[in-house]
Amino acid sequence: MTDQRVAPVSAAMEVSSEVPAEDAEAAPGLSSQTVAPPLRAADAREAAAAFVAKLNPAPSARAVQDLVLLSSELVTNAIRYAGAVTALSFGADQGALHVRVADPSPTHPQCRVPDMSGRTGGFGWPMVLRLASSVTVHRNGSRGKTILATMAR
């Protein structure tokens, strides 16, 4: 297992070759939802908003906005760099919100110098790392990778 931690601003990232337990968020006291793999970032935003709308107690308005943006960025990156999203799920407990995005590429996300002209991007992954309190990248062998991002509720 490779373990790499990066701490830009307030986020930590762990890289693992282990396959994540898909039902880890099904434990008592936790809410979880798996949705159809989105074809567009807008689908991920809608799914994130629908998930948090069902939570009781409701997360703060800022947490909702951050989860929607975090979901959108992860899905955008998966579509742009891996060609597709193969799974999307959300989870919540008393203190945190979770989003899990899987894609078919084993390539680890990369920080790039942002292109201020807007042509080639470079803003998404640093934004993910800033919004999330932790980000874990699980390599799933030949099946790609799964990124689990956790943020304060």
Side-chain angles (χ1 to χ4, degrees):
M1 176 169 88
T2 304
D3 186 9
Q4 177 184 35
R5 296 187 188 274
V6 178
V9 184
S10 64
M13 175 176 51
E14 178 180 327
V15 180
S16 171
S17 59
E18 297 175 4
V19 177
E22 295 300 336
D23 60 349
E25 294 169 339
L30 301 178
S31 297
S32 66
Q33 178 180 8
T34 300
V35 298
L39 300 176
R40 306 171 305 138
D43 299 333
R45 291 190 296 270
E46 290 173 14
F51 173 72
V52 294
K54 297 175 189 172
L55 296 177
N56 186 14
S60 70
R62 180 176 179 146
V64 171
Q65 290 173 335
D66 287 352
L67 181 69
V68 169
L69 181 55
L70 185 60
S71 303
S72 182
E73 288 300 324
L74 287 170
V75 166
T76 296
N77 286 350
I79 292 169
R80 184 172 193 176
Y81 299 109
V85 174
T86 56
L88 174 63
S89 63
F90 300 96
D93 57 37
Q94 290 182 333
L97 299 172
H98 315 277
V99 59
R100 179 179 281 129
V101 176
D103 68 52
S105 172
T107 303
H108 190 281
Q110 301 292 314
C111 282
R112 298 180 294 118
V113 175
D115 177 3
M116 301 308 280
S117 71
R119 284 178 269 163
T120 61
F123 296 95
W125 189 242
M127 188 180 308
V128 165
L129 296 176
R130 284 183 179 88
L131 289 170
S133 56
S134 71
V135 175
T136 306
V137 177
H138 297 274
R139 292 189 179 104
N140 300 329
S142 63
R143 296 184 329 225
K145 68 182 167 297
T146 300
I147 299 174
L148 172 63
T150 300
M151 54 173 284
R153 187 170 175 154

